[in-house]
Amino acid sequence: MLVVSTEYSQILAANVAKGLDCPLGGVKFSRFPDGEQYLRLSATDRHMVIVGSIPDADALVQTLLLVDACEGAEITLVVPYMGYARQDKRFNEGEPLSARAIARVLSTGVSRVLTVNIHDRAVLSHFRVPAHDASLAGEIGRYLEKSAFSSPLVLAPDDGAAAFAGQVATVYGWETDHLEKTRISGNEVRMAPRNLEAKGRDVVIVDDIISTGGTLVTAAAMLKEQGARSVSSVCVHGVLAEGAYARLLSGGVREVACSDTLERACSRYSAAGAVVDGIEGCW
Ligand code: R5P
């Protein structure tokens, strides 16, 4: 078995190779004068594990080129962050089902796909090969335990993320709840935990993705007003679009942490263990 990665998942791939106790292959990346991508593998094996997050179109092309370069091998494709997964419904007539389009393309030439906290597991049914999703809820729980949080209140930003927050909180038996939005007037909205009090608590909001951080900034301000001692945020995929990191910190969020599914300076815990377990245990 040989692990290779796109330019987008190098550190995670190295840790996955270590966990699988197999070598990490080198890949040379460059571009043609017209901007098209080129790559070349330095070695291949009968079973190739390709690790490549897909935050944008360049990353998608690089993943597809890597899969093609491995033709003839049994390929396990690991997509730690699968972009376009949030457009998993036709919200308006004439729109694509983007998650399905990407899943179909990624199914070509590979034997199986492993994702990490894909936005909605229903998207897995769009792959044309066996697909499995690994969850980092346990990793987040262990990360929080190691950090300086005294009995945090683990909050989901909405009802949809409540199950994930529950899985995080279960690791050490912390309290958990989800934020509920109440419309006070035409232009006034209140966000507060549905059942519990934030007063005096170290609140940690957990989510699959921090994109613009918009929801979190509003929630943090309101939780502080309600007397929370601190508000922090831990997500799986730190997309951090439109200056989200600075926006969150300047908006009073104590800490923003994410995993290495997208390699960021605030990647504080790794998806490697869950990816290794997924590769070893699911097929
Ligand atoms: C939405 O369904 C996701 O789980 C995240 O809550 C969302 O992507 C976060 O977006 P933003 O950071 O832009 O508020």
Side-chain angles (χ1 to χ4, degrees), residues 138-188:
E139 274 74 6
I140 295 182
R142 286 184 282 280
Y143 168 73
L144 290 176
E145 173 65 11
K146 274 195 290 173
S147 312
F149 290 102
S150 71
S151 189
L153 169 58
V154 180
L155 279 186
D158 54 39
D159 192 13
F164 182 61
Q167 289 155 15
V168 171
T170 299
V171 180
Y172 287 96
W174 296 312
E175 286 189 299
T176 183
D177 199 351
H178 71 268
L179 285 167
E180 199 168 59
K181 255 189 210 171
T182 318
R183 185 155 291 284
I184 315 268
S185 66
N187 54 6
E188 221 187 329

Side-chain angles (χ1 to χ4, degrees), residues 86 119 157-158 161 207-216 244 247:
R86 280 178 288 175
H119 182 60
D158 54 39
D207 206 353
D208 60 339
I209 299 170
I210 296 176
S211 184
T212 65
T215 316
L216 277 175
R247 187 173 173 212

Side-chain angles (χ1 to χ4, degrees), residues 75-132:
I75 300 173
T76 298
L77 175 62
V78 181
V79 187
Y81 171 65
M82 182 175 144
Y84 288 91
R86 280 178 288 175
Q87 177 80 21
D88 56 356
K89 290 180 188 63
R90 281 206 172 91
F91 299 97
N92 298 292
E93 205 177 320
E95 288 180 349
L97 222 159
S98 310
R100 182 180 63 187
I102 301 298
R104 284 180 177 171
V105 165
L106 290 176
S107 302
T108 307
V110 308
S111 306
R112 59 193 73 85
V113 175
L114 178 68
T115 57
V116 178
N117 287 104
I118 194 164
H119 182 60
D120 186 335
R121 285 192 172 173
V123 170
L124 297 178
S125 67
H126 296 307
F127 285 97
R128 289 172 162 157
V129 292
H132 175 79

